[in-house]
Amino acid sequence: MNTTTLRFLRTTSQYKGRIQNSFSPRFTCVNSFHTNSPAIRPRPSSSTTTLLLRYASTSTSTLPKDKDIQVKIHPVNGPLTTLPAPLSPPTRQPSQSLAVHLLALGKAYIAFYKTGIKNIYTNFKLSRTLQARLDANHSSSLPDAIKAKAITRSEFQLLARNWHDVKRVPLFALVLICCGELTPLVVIVLTSIVPWTCRIPKQIQSDRSKLEERRRISFRNLTAKVPEGKRGVGDLDRMQLLHISWSLGLCSSVWDYLGGQLPGLPTGVLRRRVVKRVEYLEMDDRLIERAGGVKDMDVEEVRMALVERGVDVLGREGKGMKSELSAWLKSREKVSVERLLLTRPSAWPVKASDVKVKL
């Protein structure tokens, strides 16, 4: 993140209220995942971590400004500020004109996006101290920090989601400034530029529906033999790499129309993206197990984790999804991540029906 990104953040805050009182001029150049705040300290001995988070709301009611609340976060769940804020669009009253209703609706969405951008800035600040700690004690290596038990899954997800959102701030801020209340109509078809904290429920639902459809088509066309044992990404052929990419949404659907018989990104680029995702999932699996498994995970955290692992989630209940994620973790003890990504849950070594999870 550089000074240009921060200018976009500042411009957006001025469009509909300031994000914070001011931006520090010390934020001149920050590499990936680098943030700095005293709010995150080395993991406490208790089972929960208390973060001081800013109150987030999309309600039009009057609330005290800069209200702080203490939120207890279990080490297995990501911080609340990394998720979209609740969105409650106003309903049209019988006596209300269409123009007045649309204006109120636009204001509700602007408030939602404003909260989302505030949360991005909060996450950016929280990540700085965490990254500084990793730099000082583990040479900026996440695998080393995880091996040393110096980081929780909550902190790991903070870093990952913060980097995902920060990269999208400049372009999204430009769209927000240009489109104002019409932003929801524009970004619904430009999901890739929208930070996660600024995605409306309808947009998330639509994205997951499209991803599951691509996954179904890809599984029908997958004819390559599934690798045995714990073979790595280097042993996968192009069709298997494409399947993982389509199943996890690692590239835009535009690439589906480019490349001939097996369309998509060049094989070298595909392999690098799959390697990064596999490494991420291996670290995430380890941190979930270390935090006690899936029993303490929020339903939305479980849903997001399953989407990242290529499992369908639409129309499913929390208990069934937790059993599926637990089956993934137990199957990982027997086979590689690559093999699980290339098979449906019904073909995993451990089935969800064999796992009992307490809610």
Side-chain angles (χ1 to χ4, degrees):
M1 189 171 183
N2 52 33
T3 53
T4 303
T5 303
L6 292 174
R7 291 192 189 102
F8 272 113
L9 277 171
R10 184 166 60 248
T11 304
T12 306
S13 68
Q14 291 173 347
Y15 175 69
K16 284 289 182 180
R18 301 184 67 179
I19 293 177
Q20 299 288 344
N21 291 334
S22 63
F23 285 91
S24 173
R26 293 182 290 107
F27 302 158
T28 54
C29 181
V30 184
N31 294 329
S32 63
F33 292 173
H34 280 225
T35 48
N36 200 3
S37 171
I40 294 186
R41 298 179 176 85
R43 187 176 49 160
S45 58
S46 62
S47 60
T48 59
T49 302
T50 301
L51 299 179
L52 193 62
L53 303 178
R54 193 163 300 283
Y55 187 89
S57 173
T58 57
S59 172
T60 56
S61 59
T62 302
L63 293 170
K65 293 184 178 180
D66 296 335
K67 181 179 179 180
D68 291 329
I69 57 174
Q70 285 190 338
V71 182
K72 288 188 176 180
I73 303 296
H74 192 279
V76 78
N77 295 315
L80 297 178
T81 51
T82 62
L83 301 177
L87 175 63
S88 301
T91 56
R92 185 180 178 184
Q93 303 299 323
S95 59
Q96 193 176 39
S97 66
L98 178 61
V100 173
H101 171 67
L102 292 178
L103 181 60
L105 191 64
K107 289 182 178 179
Y109 278 110
I110 287 295
F112 170 79
Y113 290 131
K114 178 182 175 182
T115 300
I117 293 176
K118 283 183 177 180
N119 286 342
I120 293 173
Y121 185 67
T122 298
N123 296 333
F124 169 66
K125 293 193 298 180
L126 291 174
S127 298
R128 293 194 67 195
T129 292
L130 178 56
Q131 184 62 49
R133 196 176 81 205
L134 295 178
D135 295 342
N137 300 330
H138 305 285
S139 302
S140 304
S141 173
L142 274 173
D144 289 349
I146 293 172
K147 185 177 180 180
K149 299 182 179 181
I151 187 172
T152 66
R153 183 177 185 269
S154 181
E155 294 170 331
F156 175 70
Q157 288 297 326
L158 172 64
L159 290 174
R161 295 173 188 177
N162 172 69
W163 180 235
H164 172 277
D165 288 348
V166 163
K167 292 186 296 184
R168 288 160 175 77
V169 166
L171 193 54
F172 176 73
L174 181 61
V175 172
L176 184 62
I177 292 170
C178 295
C179 300
E181 286 83 354
L182 299 178
T183 299
L185 302 178
V186 177
V187 299
I188 198 70
V189 295
L190 298 173
T191 298
S192 60
I193 72 168
V194 183
W196 183 255
T197 61
C198 296
R199 296 190 183 183
I200 60 177
K202 182 178 179 181
Q203 186 177 10
I204 295 174
Q205 187 84 354
S206 175
D207 292 343
R208 288 174 176 169
S209 178
K210 293 176 183 177
L211 185 60
E212 291 186 7
E213 179 61 27
R214 291 183 75 192
R215 188 178 299 132
R216 282 191 288 270
I217 296 173
S218 183
F219 267 114
R220 287 199 299 265
N221 296 330
L222 183 61
T223 58
K225 185 179 179 180
V226 177
E228 298 293 337
K230 293 194 174 184
R231 301 175 66 183
V233 177
D235 299 315
L236 303 181
D237 59 27
R238 179 169 175 79
M239 177 174 284
Q240 292 169 329
L241 293 172
L242 282 171
H243 168 76
I244 294 176
S245 176
W246 289 333
S247 179
L248 305 185
L250 300 184
C251 65
S252 171
S253 58
V254 174
W255 287 98
D256 295 352
Y257 304 98
L258 304 173
Q261 186 177 2
L262 292 176
L265 290 169
T267 303
V269 178
L270 272 176
R271 198 176 301 278
R272 285 195 295 272
R273 293 194 178 188
V274 173
V275 166
K276 289 181 180 179
R277 177 53 64 92
V278 169
E279 290 175 349
Y280 164 83
L281 292 177
E282 289 174 343
M283 290 187 290
D284 197 45
D285 288 346
R286 189 171 182 178
L287 290 171
I288 291 175
E289 291 179 328
R290 184 177 294 166
V294 303
K295 66 180 187 303
D296 293 312
M297 292 183 70
D298 295 336
V299 173
E300 183 57 27
E301 286 288 336
V302 175
R303 188 177 289 113
M304 292 172 66
L306 287 177
V307 171
E308 291 175 339
R309 288 159 176 79
V311 179
D312 297 345
V313 298
L314 294 181
R316 302 186 61 183
E317 297 181 352
K319 186 175 182 179
M321 290 189 296
K322 284 192 174 185
S323 296
E324 204 86 86
L325 182 56
S326 184
W328 166 284
L329 295 174
K330 293 182 180 300
S331 296
R332 279 276 291 109
E333 299 173 1
K334 302 180 180 181
V335 297
S336 65
V337 171
E338 294 85 350
R339 181 178 175 83
L340 295 180
L341 293 175
L342 291 169
T343 54
R344 285 290 196 179
S346 57
W348 291 351
V350 179
K351 312 295 188 297
S353 58
D354 301 329
V355 178
K356 293 183 179 180
V357 178
K358 294 182 180 180
L359 292 179

